[in-house]
């Protein structure tokens, strides 16, 4: 079944939409959730929540790419769960490491911290990734969108872990400069 | 702004970018790809048996000869300060792994000379008493090589002394997946240099070709994500001098690494 057909099921309030979504993207969404949560049971619950969220959101939404719509929903839900677990000291691990890496991009010597809307910031990050050479951008996305471990990325691109780490380090430095230039950092 | 917000903001990334990262063909570049690369190298070695002697007899001219397609128009002048319009086809590299497929595994590289400023950035300042003093007596050509589709591949500095002896330094992104295969004979490498500076280990190799006695020397190391490749061709009489140049350059660049952002050289 195509994405368009599955979305049509959601719009028709046909419950087969969930089964078809699970069939097409269940494993994919579970991977996204597991990368963040590192717990199979939590990831499973998270994916179930994804179908519920999709059911509530479509309609009115009509995503162009159902796959990435579901991935983003899963990622958000997983991250919320991770933060809750983290507050109870059950978090940590790879996701904490990824956040620490991203912290390098937002650290500022200034005393005044300004808050920005995620959407506004996301648009800036989107411009940044779009302007990167393809491979560099892809590495960035695998790490910071999909939260993949460095070892997994290295296997995916047939690189050494050291080379991946170095490439990501350089990209983070560029992102920080980009955010400064766009006025997100003083 | 917090790191959490930055992580969450990626929810707004374009689907097309995410899709692209999933469609990367490198994902399937696994052991089969390596075997294919090895097979391709073998073909190249066989081809080199025809082309290399000609290459060496032409005084070390790096331009491909023999069965390789070639659109080489020569090396650009020292900098674009001298000729702002300087461009050239500098090489044709055999690349068995990467795209685009329509080029049938041969990826034509085009190039342009560096600006004076770009070139200076690749030549660390020299205190007295180093090999860099000799730079005053060296001719230095420099250019960036780009794939046929416009992506920068490497920057190259070519040092040539008064006698015409030459050492090339190519600076690449160490994480680049693109392989470059020169015209190598299947010779047993002989080490001429083993050194370690601040944890970076370097080994230099010398290949001597039995037929002509000519020599190919190379040394390489990685630092801060940049791969440094030093290469030179010489005959039996000049090998020692060329080797000394390489040793000097290796030690110099190990001590004074340069910053190379290949993306900045894109057309």
């Amino acid at each position: 079944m195509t994405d368009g057909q599955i979305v049509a099921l959601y719009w028709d309030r046909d419950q087969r939409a969930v089964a078809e979504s699970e069939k097409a993207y269940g494993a994919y969404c579970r991977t996204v959730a597991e990368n963040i949560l590192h717990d199979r049971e939590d990831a499973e619950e998270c994916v179930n929540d994804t179908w519920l969220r999709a059911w509530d959101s479509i309609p009115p939404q009509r995503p162009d790419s159902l796959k990435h719509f579901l991935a983003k929903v899963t990622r958000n839900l997983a991250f919320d769960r991770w933060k809750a677990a983290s507050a109870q000291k059950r978090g940590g691990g790879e996701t904490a490491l990824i956040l620490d890496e991203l912290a390098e991009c937002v650290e500022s010597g200034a005393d005044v911290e300004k808050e920005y809307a995620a959407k506004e910031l996301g648009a800036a990050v989107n411009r940044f990734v779009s302007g990167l050479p393809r491979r560099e951008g892809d590495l960035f996305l695998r790490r910071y969108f999909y939260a993949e471990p460095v070892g997994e990325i290295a296997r995916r691109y047939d690189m050494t872990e050291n080379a991946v780490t170095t490439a990501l380090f350089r990209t983070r430095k560029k992102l920080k400069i980009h955010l400064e230039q766009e006025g997100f950092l003083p | 702004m917090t790191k959490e917000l930055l992580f969450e903001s990626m929810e707004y990334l374009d689907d097309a970018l995410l899709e692209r990262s999933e469609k990367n063909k490198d994902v399937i570049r696994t052991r089969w790809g390596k075997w294919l690369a090895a097979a391709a190298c073998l073909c190249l070695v066989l081809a080199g048996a025809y082309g290399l002697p000609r290459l060496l007899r032409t005084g070390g001219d790096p331009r491909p000869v023999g069965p390789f397609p070639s659109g080489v128009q020569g090396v650009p002048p020292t900098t674009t300060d001298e000729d702002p319009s300087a461009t050239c086809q500098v090489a044709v590299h055999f690349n068995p792994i990467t795209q685009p497929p329509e080029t049938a595994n041969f990826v034509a590289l085009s190039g342009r000379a560096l600006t004076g400023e770009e070139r200076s950035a690749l030549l660390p300042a020299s205190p007295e008493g180093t090999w860099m003093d000799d730079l005053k007596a060296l001719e230095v050509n420099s250019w960036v090589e780009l794939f046929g589709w416009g992506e920068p591949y490497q920057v190259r500095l070519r040092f040539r002394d008064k006698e015409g002896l030459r050492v090339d330094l190519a600076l690449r992104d160490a994480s680049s997946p693109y392989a470059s295969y020169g015209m190598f004979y299947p010779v047993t490498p002989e080490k001429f240099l083993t050194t370690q500076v601040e944890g970076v280990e370097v080994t230099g190799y010398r290949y001597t070709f039995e037929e002509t006695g000519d020599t190919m020397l190379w040394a390489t190391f990685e630092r801060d994500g940049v791969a440094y490749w030093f290469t030179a061709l010489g005959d039996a009489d000049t090998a020692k001098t060329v080797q000394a140049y390489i040793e000097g350059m290796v030690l110099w660049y190990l001590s004074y690494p340069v910053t190379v952002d290949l993306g900045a050289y894109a057309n």
Side-chain angles (χ1 to χ4, degrees):
Chain A
M1 193 172 274
T2 64
D3 277 11
Q5 289 167 326
I6 298 173
V7 170
L9 290 176
Y10 278 107
W11 273 77
D12 293 342
R13 313 313 291 159
D14 185 330
Q15 292 193 358
R16 283 180 299 162
V18 170
E20 291 298 334
S21 297
E22 165 66 41
K23 197 167 142 190
Y25 300 120
Y28 174 74
C29 289
R30 261 184 287 282
T31 303
V32 171
E34 272 192 52
N35 280 347
I36 293 170
L37 292 167
H38 300 282
D39 184 294
R40 189 160 291 185
E41 222 169 282
D42 281 355
E44 191 60 47
E45 287 177 21
C46 183
V47 173
N48 288 334
D49 290 346
T50 297
W51 311 139
L52 186 62
R53 181 72 65 88
W55 184 259
D56 290 341
S57 311
I58 312 172
Q61 294 197 56
R62 192 184 284 278
D64 290 332
S65 165
L66 180 63
K67 179 183 184 182
H68 297 113
F69 173 83
L70 295 173
K72 288 172 179 176
V73 169
T74 306
R75 185 178 182 273
N76 283 347
L77 291 169
F79 190 54
D80 287 344
R81 271 178 183 262
W82 182 85
K83 283 190 288 189
S86 189
Q88 296 169 32
K89 308 283 183 199
R90 291 199 295 119
E94 190 75 17
T95 304
L97 192 63
I98 288 171
L99 288 175
D100 286 345
E101 289 171 12
L102 287 176
E104 294 170 20
C105 308
V106 297
E107 279 165 1
S108 161
D111 292 334
V112 182
E113 284 285 335
K114 191 175 169 187
E115 283 306 316
Y116 293 92
K119 191 170 184 178
E120 194 183 352
L121 183 58
V125 175
N126 199 62
R127 285 191 289 277
F128 171 73
V129 178
S130 302
L132 289 173
R134 174 175 175 169
R135 164 163 289 250
E136 201 179 328
D138 289 353
L139 290 177
F140 182 88
L141 294 176
R142 299 319 302 180
R143 180 67 175 161
Y144 301 114
F145 181 86
Y146 290 101
E148 284 184 356
V150 168
E152 174 65 28
I153 299 171
R155 272 191 295 280
R156 176 185 284 273
Y157 291 96
D158 201 16
M159 297 165 69
T160 64
E161 290 191 23
N162 200 29
V164 172
T165 304
T166 305
L168 289 171
F169 173 72
R170 291 164 58 198
T171 308
R172 289 198 303 274
K173 282 208 292 192
K174 286 185 195 172
L175 175 57
K176 184 172 185 187
I177 292 168
H178 177 82
L179 293 176
E180 284 168 354
Q181 286 171 343
E182 292 224 349
F184 285 93
L185 294 172
Chain B
M1 192 199 307
T2 63
K3 55 191 180 183
E4 286 83 4
L5 180 67
L6 183 55
F7 184 86
E8 287 168 329
S9 74
M10 291 182 209
E11 170 190 354
Y12 297 97
L13 288 171
D14 278 351
D15 291 346
L17 288 173
L18 301 176
E19 182 69 22
R20 189 191 71 179
S21 80
E22 289 169 359
K23 280 191 172 168
N24 197 319
K25 290 181 181 177
D26 291 330
V27 173
I28 54 171
R29 220 187 77 201
T30 56
R31 291 178 180 80
W32 283 109
K34 286 176 180 173
W35 280 110
L36 285 172
C41 280
L42 180 62
C43 294
L44 200 60
V45 165
L46 295 174
Y50 169 71
L52 193 61
R54 288 179 57 191
L55 174 73
L56 294 172
R57 284 187 203 109
T58 56
D61 189 329
R63 292 177 290 184
V65 292
F68 301 94
S70 173
V72 178
Q73 300 297 323
V75 173
T78 305
T79 67
T80 51
D81 302 343
E82 295 172 14
D83 179 2
S85 64
T87 57
C88 63
Q89 285 288 106
V90 290
V92 176
H93 283 233
F94 186 67
N95 195 322
I97 298 172
T98 52
Q99 305 80 29
E102 63 268 23
T103 58
N105 289 337
F106 286 94
V107 179
L109 297 178
S110 62
R112 67 161 174 84
L114 300 189
T115 64
E117 193 181 345
E118 286 172 330
R119 195 189 71 169
S120 298
L122 301 175
L123 295 168
S126 163
E128 294 298 315
T130 70
W131 76 270
M132 290 290 277
D133 288 343
D134 296 337
L135 193 61
K136 294 162 194 162
L138 294 175
E139 176 192 343
V140 185
N141 285 85
S142 57
W143 65 95
V144 56
E145 295 172 10
L146 306 112
F147 287 113
W149 58 88
E151 186 181 346
Y153 169 57
Q154 64 184 10
V155 222
R156 188 186 289 266
L157 296 174
R158 171 162 295 173
F159 303 90
R160 200 191 302 264
D161 72 5
K162 285 176 181 172
E163 311 299 322
L165 298 180
R166 197 192 78 199
V167 176
D168 277 9
L169 166 57
L171 297 155
R172 295 180 198 163
D173 183 341
S175 62
S176 169
Y178 300 117
S180 168
Y181 298 97
M183 283 176 279
F184 281 62
Y185 264 146
V187 295
T188 305
E190 179 189 352
K191 284 183 190 173
F192 73 83
L193 170 68
T194 305
T195 190
Q196 191 164 353
V197 176
E198 292 179 14
V200 180
E201 199 166 302
V202 189
T203 306
Y205 292 96
R206 174 174 53 238
Y207 297 156
T208 304
F209 300 98
E210 292 180 7
E211 185 189 349
T212 60
D214 290 318
T215 308
M216 175 178 282
L217 301 104
W218 61 274
T220 182
F221 64 88
E222 285 183 25
R223 178 162 235 186
D224 297 331
V226 178
Y228 295 69
W229 283 84
F230 299 84
T231 52
L233 290 170
D235 58 26
D237 296 332
T238 59
K240 280 193 177 173
T241 310
V242 169
Q243 183 175 314
Y245 281 145
I246 289 187
E247 288 174 1
M249 289 183 192
V250 164
L251 290 172
W252 181 256
Y253 276 95
L254 272 173
S255 305
Y256 299 94
V258 295
T259 303
V260 180
D261 178 7
L262 279 178
Y265 294 94
N267 280 342

